[in-house]
Amino acid sequence: MKIGNTFFIGLVVGALWALIYSVVLSVFAMLVTGDVIVPDIGNAMAGGAVGAGFYLLTPVARREELWLPVSAVIAFVVFWLMQKATGVSVVATSVQVLTWVGIFLTSAVSWHLCFHDMRAERQGRYQLEVILIRVMKGFGFVFFTIIVMLPFYVMLMTSLKSQQSLLANPLDLSINIWQDPKTLFRSYIELFTDYRFGLFLLNSAMVSVATVVITLLFSIPGAYAVSRLKFPGQAVLSRSILLIYMVPAIVLVIPLYAVFSQLGLRNTLIGLIVVYPATTIPVAVYMLQGYFRGLPYELEEAGLMDGLSRLGVILKITLPLSLPAIASVSLYIFMIAWNEFLFAFMFLDDPDIFTLSRGVQSLNSSEIPRQHLMAGAVIATVPVLVLFLWFERFLVAGLTAGSVKG
Amino acid sequence: MNTGTPPKGRGPLGKSEMLLAYSMILPTLLIVLSIVLLPLLANFWISFKPVQLGDLRAPSVISNERIRPTPEAVGDTAEISYRLRNSSQKGAITGIELSDDFPAGLSLAGELDSRCQLQENSLRCELGEYEPGYRETLKIPVRAEQGYIDQPVNPRDSKPQIAGTADNILTNNKFTLENFRKVFSASEFWTVLRVSLYYTVFGTLGALIFGLFAAQLLSTTFPGRGLLRGFFLFPYVAPVIAVAFAWVLLLDAGPGGTLNAILLKIGAVDGPINFLGQRAVPISFFGMTLEFPVALTTVISFEVWRYFPLSFLFILARMQSMSSETYEAAEIDGASPLQQFWYISLPQLAGILAVLFLLRFIWTFNKFDDIFLLTGGAAGTRTLTVDVYEQAFAVSNLGAGAAVAVVVFIVLLLSALLFFKYSPQDDG
């Protein structure tokens, strides 16, 4: 077999994967078990390079079956020998052994994904770019999964810990799920009993639902008029409606604070229910008008011919046809209202009418243990994530159809 | 030659359609006008007014009423006194009228203040004008009758009604340029503006690049792709309050910060890094020392983390609408994968990338919550939007806050105009 550039690239890539996985899996094992596992990066990279090199030297046809685990074992053995030679031994406890086995198995899977159809010989630009892209993609999957997951993982696990164990070892995010649920969920129980999170949850739900209903009541006729009826100013309106959405909330907050204070609307939920729809209606109109335009006008004309009035057409033809769009707009508006922080923070002083955002913010004090803060964060996050996962298809279609907010 | 000309103007049908359209769009226009456009104008108005947070409570007369000494027998004399003051140190109150129930069982025992009248059981006083901060005590001598001894009434039980008109600080015609002078002369203003621009530009570019990268990952089909797509959207969907505090906990420099604990344990750093509290660290780079802004980089990373899903979603949608034929043709012509990406994918994505850049630029520039929750604007992360809050509510100078908000709006307008002038034509 000829040995060419691909083989050397394989060595580098093998070392690289060993580096990535030894850091990632060691940290993961630390977070899950609480044991300290210091990754021996140098030796791991040597093992990875040898394993990947060996894998590349085996014939392409035979890689699927036996040679993948064999090269993983070779990598592990090289790693272990290197450790003996350098005199450091970090493979002692069973957790550590398991971690290192995991590191080289996942490494081997990555070699397979990158090189399963590659030969060790010299190859041209096309093949090298294919390898580069595979490596980048693999790295991307690991990277994005970790950065997306880590904050949520920390949030959830911290909310289930006790103050003492958190301070004793901040890395130990392991949870004994078999313990008494009353101790496991003590932060949540305290939030609902002592900190009135049930009420906040109710307030948030009320404000969000009211915002959705009001937004739809205003935006459906508005979007219909803009997309279907002819009137002077139609073009300007349909183009400028989204511009309204570019106006920063922070510019509105001072005048609204001033005026609402004087009108006595500031420290009320009504105040929020007035402000939220005003900021969401433009987006809703924009999203809905795009959808209405896409509906075949012939259907509506047929309705008009058959003697329906305009309102009849809207109620009996347009609305039933646009239910998916209305669902996605509703969800999106619900999310905006549920997650809104600035106005809730500026307007609400009275704990009786706190929304969840405001309630969680009030937990951010040095006197309140941080697992309470994280439990509050989980309570605020779960409903909206559940809704999102449930209706993801709708939401994704709606978001991209109508181009949207930040 | 007989060419038909279309009828000019609107027929009756057209007119009724127009009316219907206006009536359908009017409520939307009204609410948007009153909650978005009017406040926008009001913000300009406030920025020219010398108004403090405390001025929002309109000046009013505060009264404290009591009877001394407490009469114990018929014929005892006592004094009902109203201690009155103007609550405001700034605004005068004019045309003050006090009216109160005169306690039953008491009778007048001397001269009534010349400004007051006692009719039946009601007391009315026309007190005229109170200067800012003015205070006085209104005294009414009384004598106890049998009725009072039998059934003592505390004069406090009936609250006096006090009417008066005060200048409303928001609507009077006092104007000043002081707010703008203060904003522009502050040495930190230019720093704040620069931080805002760094935050916006790097946050926007980061979110776009990460979004593009993530979209490439999911552009081919494989099992679990739908799930992963939903998962990648989590940072965008979750409430800012929750994820911001999770990051604070993750990056905490004290005991309990997860990331610092990890870095310390695996020996990557000697001491904890104060990600959110440290302004800058010097970095030697080929003999040059650069100040690397730690906290600013952290908040930019948060911005990128939270908003890459949005760009990802749009780019992915655009990629899925591309035809595969171009790629097949390129493949036959021997184009390498990177060439295909560079010469086929990217040009088709240029439109959506430009639109996303504009939208994200504007929204990042507008962003307040994220930085406010992460650092509160400390350690060199104060952007213009955080400055609006600081000026208006932390320093309690509404006028100055509004002046900064005007700057925010103008910068936004300028960048939008610039963008529209130089943007590539959108094809999607």
Side-chain angles (χ1 to χ4, degrees), chain A residues 343-372:
Chain A
F343 283 105
F345 173 65
M346 301 300 295
F347 281 14
L348 306 180
D349 302 330
D350 177 1
D352 283 336
I353 54 170
F354 274 5
T355 59
L356 270 178
S357 285
R358 184 71 181 84
V360 174
Q361 205 272 335
S362 71
L363 292 180
N364 181 27
S365 108
S366 51
E367 287 137 44
I368 296 171
R370 59 179 70 189
Q371 67 272 22
H372 282 35

Side-chain angles (χ1 to χ4, degrees), chain A residues 332-348:
Chain A
Y332 189 60
I333 304 299
F334 183 90
M335 262 170 48
I336 295 180
W338 184 275
N339 294 351
E340 207 284 334
F341 168 72
L342 177 60
F343 283 105
F345 173 65
M346 301 300 295
F347 281 14
L348 306 180

Side-chain angles (χ1 to χ4, degrees), chain B residues 11-95:
Chain B
L13 257 178
K15 268 189 190 139
S16 73
E17 182 167 310
M18 189 177 93
L19 276 181
L20 180 70
Y22 282 137
S23 63
M24 284 170 85
I25 199 111
L26 196 64
T28 297
L29 280 185
L30 280 182
I31 191 169
V32 168
L33 207 67
S34 56
I35 303 292
V36 179
L37 292 181
L38 279 185
L40 193 62
L41 294 177
N43 186 72
F44 281 90
W45 175 270
I46 294 175
S47 70
F48 289 105
K49 298 192 77 58
V51 48
Q52 305 280 319
L53 194 58
D55 297 339
L56 287 183
R57 223 175 291 121
S60 62
V61 177
I62 294 173
S63 119
N64 191 355
E65 183 182 3
R66 66 176 185 183
I67 182 164
R68 280 291 152 81
T70 313
E72 280 168 3
V74 176
D76 280 1
T77 55
E79 203 171 56
I80 296 179
S81 62
Y82 293 93
R83 287 196 299 178
L84 301 165
R85 69 182 172 90
N86 181 346
S87 68
S88 163
Q89 297 293 332
K90 277 184 158 180
I93 307 172
T94 54

Side-chain angles (χ1 to χ4, degrees), chain B residues 54-135:
Chain B
D55 297 339
L56 287 183
R57 223 175 291 121
S60 62
V61 177
I62 294 173
S63 119
N64 191 355
E65 183 182 3
R66 66 176 185 183
I67 182 164
R68 280 291 152 81
T70 313
E72 280 168 3
V74 176
D76 280 1
T77 55
E79 203 171 56
I80 296 179
S81 62
Y82 293 93
R83 287 196 299 178
L84 301 165
R85 69 182 172 90
N86 181 346
S87 68
S88 163
Q89 297 293 332
K90 277 184 158 180
I93 307 172
T94 54
I96 300 170
E97 266 189 32
L98 180 148
S99 51
D100 197 5
D101 290 342
F102 193 70
L106 293 177
S107 64
L108 201 61
E111 194 118 332
L112 190 62
D113 193 296
S114 63
R115 294 170 295 178
C116 296
Q117 287 177 324
L118 188 60
Q119 279 177 342
E120 312 245 323
N121 280 336
S122 74
L123 178 76
R124 271 174 65 85
C125 302
E126 302 202 353
L127 299 173
E129 181 178 340
Y130 277 9
E131 290 298 312
Y134 178 82
R135 51 182 71 217

Side-chain angles (χ1 to χ4, degrees), chain A residues 23 27 30-31 36-39 125-126 129-130 132-133 136-137 139-141 143-145 147-152 154-155 158 166-167 169-171 173 214 218-222 224-226 228-233 237 241-242 244-248 250-262 274-275 277-279 281-282 285 310 314 332 335 338-339 341-342 345-346 357 360-361 364 370 373-374 377 380-381 384-385 388-389 392-393 396 399-400 403-406, chain B residues 10 14 17-18 20-22 24-25 27-29 31-32 34-37 39-40 42-43 46 53 55-58 168-170 210-211 213-214 216-220 222 226 228-243 245-247 249-250 252 255-259 261-262 265-266 305 307-308 310 313-314 317 331 334-340 355 359-360 362-363 366-369 372-373 385 388-389 392-393 398 401-402 405-406 408-409 412 420:
Chain A
V23 171
V27 169
M30 267 197 277
L31 287 179
V36 174
I37 300 159
V38 179
R125 174 178 171 180
Y126 188 97
E129 282 186 12
V130 169
L132 177 71
I133 283 175
M136 294 277 284
K137 275 197 169 182
F139 173 74
F141 278 118
F143 175 77
F144 279 107
T145 310
I147 62 160
V148 169
M149 193 187 68
L150 194 59
F152 290 100
V154 169
M155 187 191 332
T158 308
L166 263 181
L167 287 178
N169 182 4
L171 271 190
L173 290 178
I214 295 173
F218 279 85
S219 61
I220 290 177
Y224 186 85
V226 170
R228 277 285 190 261
L229 304 178
K230 289 189 192 69
F231 60 97
L237 259 182
I241 196 86
L242 200 68
I244 301 290
Y245 211 71
M246 306 287 163
V247 178
I250 194 82
V251 175
L252 305 182
V253 90
I254 291 178
L256 286 177
Y257 185 94
V259 173
F260 277 31
S261 290
Q262 300 207 329
V274 170
V275 172
T279 57
I281 286 172
V285 170
R310 263 296 170 181
I314 296 175
Y332 189 60
M335 262 170 48
W338 184 275
N339 294 351
F341 168 72
L342 177 60
F345 173 65
M346 301 300 295
S357 285
V360 174
Q361 205 272 335
N364 181 27
R370 59 179 70 189
L373 178 63
M374 286 299 106
T381 308
V384 70
L385 276 194
F388 165 72
L389 286 179
E392 191 207 326
R393 259 161 227 289
V396 168
L399 269 174
T400 45
S403 152
V404 157
K405 112 149 202 172
Chain B
R10 284 165 199 281
E17 182 167 310
M18 189 177 93
L20 180 70
Y22 282 137
M24 284 170 85
I25 199 111
T28 297
L29 280 185
I31 191 169
V32 168
S34 56
I35 303 292
V36 179
L37 292 181
L40 193 62
N43 186 72
I46 294 175
L53 194 58
D55 297 339
L56 287 183
R57 223 175 291 121
N168 188 325
I169 190 80
L170 290 176
F210 274 62
F213 189 12
Q216 300 304 317
L217 296 181
L218 297 194
S219 61
T220 48
F222 55 88
L228 212 54
R229 183 183 66 177
F231 176 66
F232 279 6
L233 290 173
F234 273 19
Y236 176 68
V237 176
V240 61
I241 186 108
V243 289
F245 284 137
W247 268 63
L249 193 72
L250 187 66
D252 193 1
T258 317
L259 193 60
I262 292 174
K265 281 279 159 55
I266 65 177
W305 178 79
Y307 293 102
F308 88 83
L310 193 77
L313 196 61
F314 281 84
E331 191 81 10
S336 73
L338 286 182
Q339 282 173 327
Q340 289 178 25
V355 170
L359 293 181
R360 288 272 17 115
I362 292 175
W363 282 321
N366 291 350
K367 214 70 237 143
F368 164 79
D369 318 3
F372 179 74
L373 289 171
T385 48
V388 172
Y389 173 83
F393 299 100
L398 275 191
V406 167
V408 171
F409 189 71
L412 218 52
F420 279 125

Side-chain angles (χ1 to χ4, degrees), chain B residues 1 88 99 104 120 131 151 279 288 341 346 372 378 414 428:
Chain B
M1 225 163 46
S88 163
S99 51
E120 312 245 323
E131 290 298 312
Q151 211 174 19
R279 185 179 288 269
M288 289 193 307
F341 173 73
L346 266 192
F372 179 74
L414 284 182

